[in-house]
Amino acid sequence: MTSEPTASSDGHGDILAELTAVLAGVVHADPDRVDPEQPFPVLGLDSLLTVEFVAAVDRHFGVRIAGADLYEYATPVLLARHLTALRRGTDDAPQAPDSGASAEVLQVLRHQLASILHCDPWEIEGGAAFAELGIDSILAANFAAGVNRAYGLSERPVTVHEHPSPAAMAAYIASRTRGAPAPALPDVRGDAPAAAPAPPVPPRPPAVAAQERPALSPAEVVALLDAVRGDRIGVDEAAALLANRSA
């Protein structure tokens, strides 16, 4: 994380304040109430307002960005860092990942999330915030572990918070894995072709089904302990999550 003195010295803090003011003007909000750590859709940008916001940023900062940049730089903090790099010069600006590679990675991430959330991959919107999708601290650790297995990486769960949407995460993973072959897609609900119907299974009583939760895996336990040690969640919250998942 960038410290405050560094942010002030390279102009990032000023740019973030200006960017927050521009965003507040577009979504008709009080700049002091705009949380720059939140993804743009959470802050009120829909498809139409995104066009207006991009145009306003171009005018205010004298740069050229695209709506797709808001997927890679999915929060005001991340976009401000990008604008700071652009102002220093193109040699310092982060290299944009190949859009085709990002799209391939996004497909993999959708399948990873679908296997965790028990839904179909096409139900997961690329620009949706992980929090909106229901990804909590434990599920973020599970998701990061699956991404690491698929791509041979060693990302920590905090990466999910730093790149807070599937599209933003896909752009980041694509930049880390340029030239690497795409992994096989996980087998999740809705992917398999139509087959002969399976024999009917007697339904379980609703009360029993509602109480059953999958037990924590060893990887999830380690991730939970890491989150406590890193002060990302409190001990009481961790204990509550552990009790809930172990019941």
Side-chain angles (χ1 to χ4, degrees):
M1 296 292 291
T2 304
S3 63
E4 285 300 324
T6 303
S8 298
S9 62
D10 65 7
H12 173 259
D14 293 338
I15 288 180
L16 178 58
E18 294 175 27
L19 182 65
T20 301
V22 171
L23 175 61
V26 171
V27 299
H28 305 291
D30 182 348
D32 293 335
R33 299 181 65 85
V34 174
D35 183 353
E37 298 282 353
Q38 292 295 320
F40 287 112
V42 174
L43 296 174
L45 282 190
D46 56 20
S47 56
L48 292 177
L49 290 180
T50 293
V51 175
E52 182 180 342
F53 176 61
V54 167
V57 170
D58 288 352
R59 290 193 304 269
H60 184 89
F61 293 98
V63 297
R64 295 287 296 175
I65 66 170
D69 291 335
L70 271 60
Y71 290 113
E72 181 181 357
Y73 311 104
T75 68
V77 167
L78 295 176
L79 184 59
R81 290 175 185 166
H82 178 57
L83 293 173
T84 301
L86 290 176
R87 280 194 165 183
R88 287 200 303 262
T90 55
D91 290 339
D92 293 330
Q95 184 178 2
D98 177 71
S99 58
S102 294
E104 290 181 0
V105 174
L106 182 57
Q107 285 294 96
V108 175
L109 298 191
R110 278 194 171 115
H111 281 72
Q112 292 281 357
L113 289 168
S115 67
I116 293 171
L117 299 173
H118 306 291
C119 66
D120 291 311
W122 55 79
E123 296 179 48
I124 297 172
E125 184 179 346
F130 285 122
E132 291 180 328
L133 296 173
I135 299 297
D136 57 19
S137 298
I138 290 181
L139 295 182
N142 195 359
F143 176 52
V147 172
N148 288 338
R149 287 192 300 270
Y151 288 96
L153 300 173
S154 56
E155 297 293 335
R156 294 173 60 83
V158 69
T159 305
V160 179
H161 300 288
E162 293 174 343
H163 306 277
S165 72
M169 186 76 166
Y172 171 72
I173 297 299
S175 70
R176 293 286 315 276
T177 58
R178 283 190 178 91
L185 296 177
D187 184 18
V188 296
R189 190 184 76 180
D191 287 346
V201 178
R204 292 176 294 175
V208 175
Q211 292 175 0
E212 291 183 357
R213 295 289 304 274
L216 289 174
S217 69
E220 288 178 323
V221 173
V222 171
L224 182 60
L225 293 175
D226 283 344
V228 173
R229 283 193 290 265
D231 291 329
R232 294 191 295 276
I233 63 174
V235 174
D236 292 340
E237 182 182 0
L241 289 171
L242 184 61
N244 187 35
R245 291 294 293 273
S246 300

